[in-house]
Amino acid sequence: MYTCSSINGWPNPVKNVAFYLFLPCTIMAAAFAFSANANASAEPIPEVSVTSSPNSSSADSLKTQTLKTQTLKPQILKAQAPIFDISGSYRLKYEHLNNPIFPSSSEDRAQVNRRVSSRLLVKAQANWDVFNVTLELADSRVWLDDNDPTLKSAQVNTLEPLQFFAHYTPKDSQYLKGITAGRVTFDHGSRRLIGQGVYRNTKNAFDGVLVDYQVSDWSLRGFYLLPVSRLPSDSGALADAERAFDKSYSEREFFGLYVTSPDKNLKVHSYWLKEEDSEKLATKNRDLYTLAVEYTKPFAESWKANIEVIGQTGTSHQTASATDTTELDVESWMVHANFGKKITDFTFLRAEVDAISGDNNSADNTITDFDSLYGVRRFDFGPTDVYQAMPRRNLYTVGARSVTKPSKKHNIMVSYKAMWYQKAPESVDNFIGQQLEARWRWEVKPSLRLAIGAAYLLKGDGFERGDYPDDSQFVFTGALYTF
């Protein structure tokens, strides 16, 4: 546990971050100088046409043309200066949970968990001509979290360069729309396979290259990335807000293709994840191929339907332990569907269904637990972090959700979800429970947004186990300031 007065890890990071601040600035200055020299030497001076009056001589016309050329020349040679922009946000959030959701013993964790978390994001950008250079720093911390075993690097990541990349957008290219190289964060489609954490206190980052194309109005993105591991990862260092620069490893590769139709209604994901153990990286040795198709269809004026089907195959070890060397086949899948309509001028109501493969037998030769790769789950199953909503695996769910926007300043969400195991553990009932959730966002002013929310899990027989069989109650409140 630590307090604001005892936060560790600030002096050395300042030196390290200074390097990351200096490097992009050096790159920007060099690129600007190169651009200026290139324009000065390569861009021709256009001819100046001067019309003489009947009373003017040829000498006067030539003199006038020379003066105008001398006047225009410095303006033409002057390169366009880069445009700099700095933006960011600061979020403070309080969460309180009574009775953990998952079956647990009092030896593992306490009955009540409270946490205050903060997340600071600062982004600096330089744009000129066809180039963009971006540097984003992130600082994620927690307080009041006393020896909580659920505290992970997904909540704490102290003073870290979250993004630093260069982006090139070609002019007048029929197919190539952009190339990005460096460390990036991004979303694809529904965000169930790749997504940035919004509710969660940290974001997923990747090192590598992304190339964007457009063919017959279809958008295509190909990428080769090395997922970034947030460091440190041990619980003691996280609780003390110690810091270490996040790192990617060549032993873990993530590459694929993401395609979007012209009307944005059809999205196709095709991903490969390959990893293997090394001295510094312990993995499940996953070698997975994932194919996803998402389709959205508006119909009958106010109705809208969406379905996403995902299949996954390959091989993996059961655990990341160095002693686990057994390679198992992977056969998993996921289906999400929702349909709804606008029932009032400011309320949309929809029904939701999820079916996700699971595994309750670690002794066989096949893994059927679905792997959501680098996706996020908050928007489907509830708050993460302290509440620890259900993971996207081994689930059947049905539910309903309404979103009401009575004005531009207010957003109210209410949801209900009933949940079952897709494959229940041996001698355990398959009914997990019923979850009620509500959230209200209020935009006090353009730069300040407040939020308050709650969730209640009425535990079914499948979760009435361990030392905390009673229903789970959860509340949170937070403020987000943007600049």
Side-chain angles (χ1 to χ4, degrees), residues 188-194 258 267 269 294 308 376 379:
H188 274 176
S190 68
R191 301 167 61 231
R192 294 185 178 94
L193 292 172
I194 303 178
Y258 175 62
K267 301 177 179 70
H269 314 241
E294 181 187 0
E308 184 167 21
V376 292
F379 54 87

Side-chain angles (χ1 to χ4, degrees), residues 37-288:
N37 292 335
N39 288 340
S41 60
E43 184 174 344
I45 300 175
E47 295 182 359
V48 180
S49 175
V50 179
T51 302
S52 302
S53 66
N55 298 325
S56 63
S57 65
S58 299
D60 290 338
S61 297
L62 181 60
K63 182 178 180 181
T64 302
Q65 181 173 346
T66 302
L67 289 174
K68 287 191 176 184
T69 302
Q70 291 175 347
T71 302
L72 290 174
K73 188 173 182 179
Q75 297 177 357
I76 295 170
L77 293 179
K78 185 177 179 180
Q80 181 181 0
I83 299 173
F84 295 92
D85 179 69
I86 296 180
S87 61
S89 65
Y90 180 76
R91 185 184 69 183
L92 197 64
K93 181 172 62 180
Y94 172 76
E95 299 170 277
H96 180 107
L97 172 66
N98 187 44
N99 289 320
I101 293 179
F102 299 94
S104 180
S105 69
S106 56
E107 296 178 355
D108 295 332
R109 59 176 302 183
Q111 182 176 12
V112 176
N113 189 13
R114 302 181 184 91
R115 186 182 296 166
V116 174
S117 60
S118 69
R119 184 174 74 185
L120 173 66
L121 300 174
V122 179
K123 180 187 290 186
Q125 297 187 78
N127 296 280
W128 71 99
D129 197 25
V130 295
F131 298 100
N132 166 274
V133 174
T134 295
L135 167 67
E136 184 174 23
L137 298 178
D139 187 82
S140 301
R141 299 170 183 257
V142 301
W143 291 266
L144 303 182
D145 207 283
D146 190 8
N147 299 320
D148 180 8
T150 67
L151 184 65
K152 305 294 182 183
S153 61
Q155 290 86 42
V156 178
N157 198 21
T158 308
L159 198 59
E160 181 65 32
L162 179 65
Q163 295 193 93
F164 44 93
F165 64 82
H167 179 75
Y168 166 69
T169 305
K171 291 182 177 179
D172 304 323
S173 174
Q174 183 178 358
Y175 301 110
L176 180 62
K177 296 304 175 184
I179 301 175
T180 305
R183 178 166 295 183
V184 297
T185 67
F186 61 96
D187 298 315
H188 274 176
S190 68
R191 301 167 61 231
R192 294 185 178 94
L193 292 172
I194 303 178
Q196 303 182 66
V198 176
Y199 182 92
R200 197 180 72 187
N201 215 35
T202 63
K203 297 187 177 186
N204 297 322
F206 305 85
D207 291 338
V209 179
L210 303 93
V211 182
D212 292 296
Y213 291 91
Q214 185 166 319
V215 179
S216 299
D217 293 330
W218 285 72
S219 299
L220 295 86
R221 167 176 285 175
F223 63 87
Y224 176 85
L225 302 170
L226 304 179
V228 174
S229 295
R230 290 182 292 270
L231 299 173
S233 58
D234 61 282
S235 58
L238 292 172
D240 291 335
E242 295 180 10
R243 72 157 320 281
F245 279 119
D246 296 348
K247 186 178 180 181
S248 61
Y249 299 89
S250 60
E251 292 84 4
R252 183 167 54 203
E253 304 168 286
F254 186 50
F255 51 94
L257 185 67
Y258 175 62
V259 181
T260 306
S261 65
D263 59 6
K264 312 299 182 184
N265 287 338
L266 177 63
K267 301 177 179 70
V268 180
H269 314 241
S270 183
Y271 302 142
W272 288 264
L273 174 64
K274 294 179 177 292
E275 61 183 12
E276 58 184 12
D277 293 341
S278 67
E279 292 183 1
K280 296 183 179 180
L281 182 66
T283 75
K284 292 183 178 181
N285 284 70
R286 291 175 294 176
D287 188 351
L288 300 179

